[in-house]
Amino acid sequence: MKKGDACDSHDHGPKVETGFVQITATADNQQDAESLIRYLTEQKLVACAQVQGPETSDEDNLGNGWRCRFKTSDLLYQSVKQELDTYFDDRSYSINALPIVRGSDHFLS
């Protein structure tokens, strides 16, 4: 590869609409985070998930939290969000979804 080439052997190529998103949400503790990712994975709403934490945030006074990262199709975002709304009930939580615009062929398959 020459310097400045748009992609390498791990890159899916130029930025494209892949139809996949990465969703990030926070849980109060590690057990809740692991339970949540296990549930969403078993329900086949997400392809894979990771837990990271604890994380401290003073945004909206959320305090310590465990970050859950989910990878899923854009079509399943609403279903995942509904499950997160049910899981967190009336508790405040943060969620965001970012489009996945590149990835290895293995990852995107």
Side-chain angles (χ1 to χ4, degrees):
M1 291 247 112
K2 296 177 201 162
K3 186 177 180 180
D5 282 351
C7 61
D8 63 25
S9 62
H10 296 289
D11 204 352
H12 183 66
K15 291 181 183 179
V16 295
E17 193 62 40
T18 65
F20 297 103
V21 294
Q22 178 175 284
I23 299 170
T24 304
T26 55
D28 292 335
N29 57 61
Q30 184 176 5
Q31 184 177 357
D32 283 350
E34 290 174 354
S35 175
L36 181 59
I37 67 168
R38 189 172 19 263
Y39 174 75
L40 291 174
T41 304
E42 288 171 355
Q43 296 302 308
K44 302 207 182 296
L45 292 174
V46 300
C48 62
Q50 300 151 337
V51 172
Q52 182 182 24
E55 185 175 285
T56 302
S57 171
D58 51 348
E59 179 182 319
D60 298 327
N61 297 316
L62 292 176
N64 291 331
W66 290 76
R67 179 182 292 163
C68 303
R69 251 190 217 124
F70 310 100
K71 290 162 188 93
T72 191
S73 73
D74 193 40
L75 297 173
L76 289 174
Y77 171 78
Q78 273 308 96
S79 297
V80 172
K81 175 140 181 4
Q82 288 173 345
E83 291 296 333
L84 290 170
D85 288 345
T86 299
Y87 175 81
F88 287 106
D89 197 25
D90 290 332
R91 294 179 288 161
S92 177
Y93 77 100
S94 66
I95 179 175
N96 68 58
L98 300 172
I100 297 173
V101 296
R102 289 187 184 170
S104 67
D105 290 336
H106 175 75
F107 172 77
L108 295 174
S109 66

